[in-house]
Amino acid sequence: MTTNRTFTMVKPDAVESGNAGAILKMIEEGGFRIVALKKTLLTKERAGEFYEVHAARPFYNDLCAYMSSGPIYAAILEKDNAVADFRTLIGATNPANAAEGTIRKLFAKSIEANAVHGSDSDENAAIEGSFFFSKTDQF
Ligand code: CMP
């Protein structure tokens, strides 16, 4: 099923650097409507739950430690073709490979501290959005 929603997190490195506002501005200027938004701190356990799909990967433990190292912004976004268009806006996972003008090219520090998360499918967007927000948080 194709939906018009995706899910994002502004990650600890970008929040710590004071870039969350600039990133949210790029998201809105990119045509995405913010349906839900909150600043929150993940525990290492909860970060592990969110990224459980990567549990077997060598970077999993470091990723969970990093994602719980400081506050994040979690958001549900709406736009036609949201998942694919958002992945274009943020650029490649590794900022070294990210296109000019993308959020990761502008703000990411490394493949791990890569400024933002973006869902990779409509199905995961729905799962990830409901990890942070109830239906009554979404407008
Ligand atoms: P994200 O899009 O949130 O999905 C998984 C995250 O794991 C990724 O962004 C990076 O922050 C992190 N990560 C760390 N190392 C790697 C790697 N070698 N390959 C992919 N993702 C990595």
Side-chain angles (χ1 to χ4, degrees):
M1 186 187 75
T2 303
T3 70
N4 56 356
R5 288 189 176 186
T6 192
F7 171 79
T8 188
M9 292 182 286
V10 180
K11 296 187 178 184
D13 62 292
V15 176
E16 169 70 23
S17 309
N19 290 320
I23 289 171
L24 291 171
K25 184 167 190 271
M26 280 185 74
I27 290 171
E28 286 197 314
E29 288 180 350
F32 293 85
R33 192 175 73 77
I34 297 173
V35 173
L37 175 67
K38 75 171 152 197
K39 190 177 190 184
T40 187
L41 180 64
L42 291 169
T43 61
K44 196 170 179 201
E45 291 66 35
R46 214 163 135 69
E49 212 183 309
F50 183 88
Y51 279 115
E52 195 154 16
V53 64
H54 294 305
R57 308 287 290 274
F59 58 80
Y60 178 69
N61 276 337
D62 283 350
L63 175 63
C64 297
Y66 160 66
M67 285 301 295
S68 56
S69 67
I72 60 159
Y73 286 84
I76 295 174
L77 307 173
E78 193 170 79
K79 182 186 183 296
D80 286 348
N81 202 34
V83 167
D85 285 3
F86 192 69
R87 288 172 75 81
T88 300
L89 179 69
I90 66 180
T93 302
N94 186 345
N97 302 326
E100 289 299 327
T102 60
I103 290 175
R104 283 173 172 155
K105 184 70 178 184
L106 288 166
F107 299 113
K109 295 183 168 58
S110 67
I111 191 168
E112 177 178 85
N114 63 354
V116 283
H117 168 78
S119 303
D120 63 3
S121 67
D122 290 312
E123 188 192 8
N124 283 338
I127 293 168
E128 292 171 359
S130 56
F131 188 87
F132 286 93
F133 300 103
S134 67
K135 281 285 166 221
T136 53
D137 293 325
Q138 301 176 35
F139 304 99

